[in-house]
Amino acid sequence: MRNVAKTTTLENKFPLLAVENNCILSKDADITACFEVRLPELFTVASAEYEAIHSAWHKAIKTLPDYTVVHKQDWYIKENYAPDIADDSLSFLGKSYQQHFNERPFLNHYCYLFLTKTTKERMRMQSNFSSLCKGALIPKEIRDKEVIHRFMEAVGQFERIANDSGFIGLRRLTEEDIIGTDEKQGLLEQYLTLSREVGTPMQDIGLGAEEVRVGNKRLCLHTLSDTDDLPSTVSADTRYEKLSTDRSDCRLSFAAPVGLLLSCNHIYNQYLFLDNSEDNLEKFEKSARNMHSLARYSRANQINKEWIERYLNEAHSFGLSSIRAHFNIMAWSDDPVEFKQLKNDCGSALALMECKPRHNTTDVATLYWAGMPGNAGDFPSEESFYTFIEPALCLFTEETNYHNSSSPFGIKMADRLTGKPIHLDISDLPMKRGIITNRNKFILGPSGSGKSFFTNHMVRQYYEQGAHVLLVDTGNSYQGLCELIKGKTKGEDGVYFTYTEDNPIAFNPFYTDDGVFDIEKRESIKTLIVTLWKRDDEPPTRSEEVALSNAVSGYIERIKQDEVYPSFNGFYEYVQGNYRKVLEEKQVREKDFDIANFLNVLEPYYKGGEYDYLLNSDKQLDLLSKRFIVFEIDAIKDHKILFPIVTIIIMEVFINKMRRLKGIRKLILIEEAWKAIAKEGMAEYIKYLFKTVRKFFGEAIVVTQEVDDIIQSPIVKESIINNSDCKILLDQRKYMNKFDDIQAMLGLTDKEKAQVLSINMNNDPSRLYKEVWIGLGGTHSAVYATEVSVEEYLAYTTEETEKMEVMRLAGELGGNVEQAIKRIALQRREK
């Protein structure tokens, strides 16, 4: 027959009475205010900021009255990423991305803070007085209402100080959060089942001397409850060697090894017991006198006396508050093999903090019970040690995993530690919050650093969210993606221009869809003609500018009145005939405007000339409505005449979109082509674009791989870097020795430098990805992973053999790039 003598119900032993006004009341008349805590993201906090967080906690705790327990509880739970694959709005690549990450395991972090007001007697109780050891719990009455009132005022001050720090965010938990509803579990239910999964039923809790079980989960407890177990020195933060170099420091909080870096299901409990400091110090004075009297009988007494005196001297010299503290890691598993590993992992994490790992087997039941939200008054006092507030706070964990952006718009990146997808807005939300003042981006990364992968990934997601994307490329980086879009939209989008001898890029700068020549259109025509006419080091005189402006205006009027077909040939003939007569009538001198020289220089672009095809195209493409356009100009990037002209025309296409498409997001991404655009004659054009594009819901992005280009070009510095609030850097270790120049040029802080130099230093070998640093406005920055599915890889790849394989198979399938990618991806997975 089964022995049921020691079996009792949870109802009998449950130490909590009620939840009122969002506070937990215990049967022993303790009152607990509960908070959810939002901490900064992992790897984004510098040493000075850790000090500021430490200081904020200290200031907040100093406001609390005596006999308060501060209980910070960090949950680290293994979860699996669950995407919405059934979402019909997802594209082919969007679905493949979500399927790639489906069921991806990661460690999720939840942080809570419980402030419990108890009594002097309860703070002194040992484990044999725990509510677990009592027969029946009779609720006590709260006698002193004034004490409660003062405590709640102090809680309000605590919350205000923490939130005002700018690093910690506290949110009061509601009654629903604590006790739950029919649809979701409350915090108490989660703790008593050690599960955050909705629908987890309550199970037997075995609180035995040998082991503690919750259902099938066995608990493993490591405690820091004695000064002998602690390291000789503690600090607010520590150097994380895996992501640090000899030139940079990656900082984490001192207790980070028992936080996110310990990858198993566990809870890290941190308790501070705020006794009456005067009483504590008086007790130590008495103890020191006793030790002094007994010192001659034992050397241990002599040493203890010295330690106590040092503690007292510290307290009196610096006005420190004497408190008690306790820390424990509560890990669990239902797998016996994994349970063995848990003990080793938790012990190793404590050893990394230079603590002595103590596997507690005696007080597991009472410590688990006291860890229940609102039951900190039940904590066994013999498990705590005396210290001061500042050193105790060093053992608080101060970071969490990456947050998803609350904005509906954004791009998907991955958490660098666990590989979980992160929704990240680097455009709209930072603008709303005033972190950045424009959406422009500057991307720097050497060849092979994953630059084109990141840019492909970003522009693809912008396009899928309704943006107009115009790309100026010099290396076929976007051909795969463009062909895929072209196939998907049946040629409506995905326009790919490339220069070949048989089919050179050709435009008509005088053509407009609607016959409107606004000031931007006129200015772009003038800039184009000046580029054809003058060298970079030979700016036009004021009289020449006026004459050119009149010529362009005169020809535009003629187009409007006579309905002449607009073209460069027509403009040349107008200057040669009608405009020459106008100049003669006005008696414009040759030295003010040499019309013969002007016509002679422009003759190669007139019919019969070497470049007559360039500006006289008869194919009028409506690029205004095309949402994905790529200009691939690698073949002419070194051509002194063609390259600047083609780039000007491309810019004019974008400025036309910028002006006409009201309320629609538009993006221009210029790869290495900016070198030609950023010459003296074009500097003003670039400055205009970068300064103006933000007013038209647009963003200009420049991509470069040569550090020397940005270091040596004043135009880049003035017009591109200074007007790009979002900076994106890839692996810079090739430029380690030059990085001080880059840091100065980009205005990076030491924290940002440390983040950039940590890129790809500790990558998970089981995942294929490259890391990228994104900095916003000099205040917000982090490193993310660009990890993609096989399908996306095949669409983005710049490896010629892989691109040829996709295009060859697509040719066999009637030009269907999507089907080709699907087939090759399937073959690779089968291998």
Side-chain angles (χ1 to χ4, degrees), residues 426-484:
I426 52 176
S427 292
D428 292 2
L429 198 63
M431 276 277 280
K432 274 183 194 164
R433 291 184 175 166
I435 295 165
I436 57 175
T437 56
N438 59 60
R439 295 180 176 83
N440 300 338
K441 295 168 180 57
F442 177 77
I443 303 175
L444 173 68
S447 180
S449 61
K451 189 168 68 271
S452 63
F453 250 77
F454 171 76
T455 47
N456 263 290
H457 192 53
M458 180 175 73
V459 298
R460 190 266 293 175
Q461 292 180 85
Y462 269 60
Y463 168 76
E464 286 174 2
Q465 291 171 85
H468 277 243
V469 177
L470 191 147
L471 305 164
V472 187
D473 184 26
T474 56
N476 288 312
S477 301
Y478 306 95
Q479 188 179 10
L481 182 59
C482 191
E483 290 296 326
L484 185 67

Side-chain angles (χ1 to χ4, degrees), residues 72-359:
K72 181 167 168 282
Q73 189 172 75
D74 290 82
W75 289 60
Y76 299 93
I77 306 290
K78 279 186 172 177
E79 295 180 7
N80 292 331
Y81 179 67
D84 184 9
I85 298 173
D87 186 355
D88 292 334
S89 65
L90 286 175
S91 66
F92 159 60
L93 291 182
K95 275 188 179 165
S96 70
Y97 180 86
Q98 297 288 24
Q99 280 164 344
H100 173 73
F101 286 97
N102 191 26
E103 297 292 313
R104 168 70 60 89
F106 66 97
L107 196 68
N108 215 345
H109 175 218
Y110 306 89
C111 183
Y112 302 102
L113 183 75
F114 309 110
L115 304 177
T116 302
K117 180 74 182 84
T118 183
T119 59
K120 184 177 181 178
E121 296 73 34
R122 293 265 293 152
M123 294 261 292
R124 297 278 183 276
M125 282 183 183
Q126 297 197 336
S127 53
N128 51 348
F129 281 93
S130 167
S131 58
L132 282 174
C133 304
K134 296 176 185 172
L137 298 177
I138 300 162
K140 292 180 183 172
E141 191 181 337
I142 295 174
R143 298 189 185 281
D144 195 342
K145 300 286 192 291
E146 184 58 32
V147 170
I148 298 304
H149 179 67
R150 283 201 303 272
F151 171 66
M152 293 315 293
E153 276 186 350
V155 166
Q157 289 171 11
F158 184 103
E159 185 179 358
R160 178 73 187 269
I161 291 166
N163 284 331
D164 284 354
S165 72
F167 296 105
I168 311 161
L170 296 186
R171 179 184 73 84
R172 275 299 279 272
L173 292 181
T174 63
E175 207 168 304
E176 281 188 359
D177 293 328
I178 298 164
I179 56 177
T181 61
D182 292 342
E183 289 78 38
K184 68 167 188 174
Q185 285 178 311
L187 192 54
L188 290 168
E189 198 177 335
Q190 289 167 6
Y191 187 80
L192 292 168
T193 57
L194 290 181
S195 169
R196 296 186 63 92
E197 283 183 33
V198 178
T200 305
M202 293 292 288
Q203 294 169 308
D204 287 352
I205 300 174
L207 303 173
E210 295 299 316
E211 68 168 20
V212 170
R213 270 188 313 96
V214 176
N216 294 326
K217 297 164 186 156
R218 286 174 66 201
L219 248 68
C220 157
L221 194 74
H222 283 75
T223 54
L224 293 177
S225 49
D226 195 321
T227 44
D228 294 342
D229 301 338
L230 298 172
S232 53
T233 56
V234 290
S235 57
D237 62 312
T238 183
R239 179 179 157 99
Y240 184 56
E241 291 296 340
K242 286 183 179 177
L243 293 179
S244 297
T245 68
D246 55 350
R247 290 167 176 264
S248 63
D249 260 4
C250 174
R251 310 301 291 185
L252 288 177
S253 63
F254 189 80
V258 296
L260 282 168
L261 301 184
L262 176 58
S263 60
C264 62
N265 286 322
H266 67 287
I267 291 174
Y268 179 49
N269 288 302
Q270 303 125 81
Y271 296 91
L272 304 184
F273 303 93
L274 310 182
D275 293 306
N276 185 294
S277 186
E278 312 297 310
D279 290 356
N280 280 357
L281 296 177
E282 207 173 291
K283 193 171 78 176
F284 278 119
E285 293 282 6
K286 190 176 174 184
S287 184
R289 287 197 293 273
N290 289 344
M291 292 292 177
H292 181 67
S293 308
L294 301 168
R296 70 177 73 178
Y297 303 112
S298 161
R299 188 166 292 278
N301 289 337
Q302 202 174 337
I303 291 166
N304 283 342
K305 177 214 156 200
E306 285 173 20
W307 278 113
I308 291 168
E309 284 189 340
R310 280 182 70 179
Y311 182 82
L312 289 165
N313 289 343
E314 286 277 315
H316 289 302
S317 303
F318 301 105
L320 303 177
S321 301
S322 170
I323 63 160
R324 288 180 296 121
H326 168 89
F327 304 90
N328 69 55
I329 308 169
M330 197 185 293
W332 63 86
S333 176
D334 53 8
D335 178 1
V337 179
E338 190 186 11
F339 187 73
K340 260 187 191 175
Q341 188 63 39
L342 275 187
K343 288 183 189 174
N344 297 338
D345 289 350
C346 294
S348 303
L350 286 169
L352 284 172
M353 292 163 62
E354 295 180 21
C355 297
K356 194 185 288 178
R358 191 179 293 276
H359 182 226

Side-chain angles (χ1 to χ4, degrees), residues 405 407 409-411 413 424-431 436 438-441 454 458 462 699 725-726 728 774-776 784:
S405 171
S407 166
F409 178 82
I411 59 172
M413 298 298 288
L424 183 68
D425 184 357
I426 52 176
S427 292
D428 292 2
L429 198 63
M431 276 277 280
I436 57 175
N438 59 60
R439 295 180 176 83
N440 300 338
K441 295 168 180 57
F454 171 76
M458 180 175 73
Y462 269 60
E699 49 194 87
D725 280 2
C726 175
I728 299 169
I774 300 175
L776 296 167
Y784 301 91

Side-chain angles (χ1 to χ4, degrees), residues 483-546:
E483 290 296 326
L484 185 67
I485 289 169
K486 186 179 178 180
K488 198 73 181 167
T489 58
K490 297 185 172 64
E492 287 296 310
D493 273 328
V495 183
Y496 197 82
F497 288 101
T498 187
Y499 186 95
T500 60
E501 288 294 330
D502 303 331
N503 188 21
I505 294 175
F507 298 95
N508 185 344
F510 290 92
Y511 177 81
T512 61
D513 297 325
D514 49 10
V516 174
F517 290 88
D518 56 18
I519 191 162
E520 270 73 33
K521 180 71 176 171
R522 289 165 188 256
E523 285 301 317
S524 73
I525 292 170
K526 283 190 268 182
T527 307
L528 171 66
I529 294 167
V530 167
T531 308
L532 303 176
W533 178 27
K534 298 284 186 180
R535 288 198 301 266
D536 285 346
D537 56 352
E538 186 192 357
T541 63
R542 183 76 190 113
S543 59
E544 287 176 330
E545 281 180 2
V546 171

Side-chain angles (χ1 to χ4, degrees), residues 41-75:
E41 294 175 342
L42 190 71
F43 307 127
T44 64
V45 189
S47 201
E49 290 163 335
Y50 276 120
E51 291 289 347
I53 295 168
H54 183 273
S55 173
W57 280 124
H58 185 226
K59 285 174 192 162
I61 286 167
K62 292 280 274 185
T63 63
L64 297 173
D66 293 345
Y67 311 115
T68 300
V69 184
V70 177
H71 176 200
K72 181 167 168 282
Q73 189 172 75
D74 290 82
W75 289 60

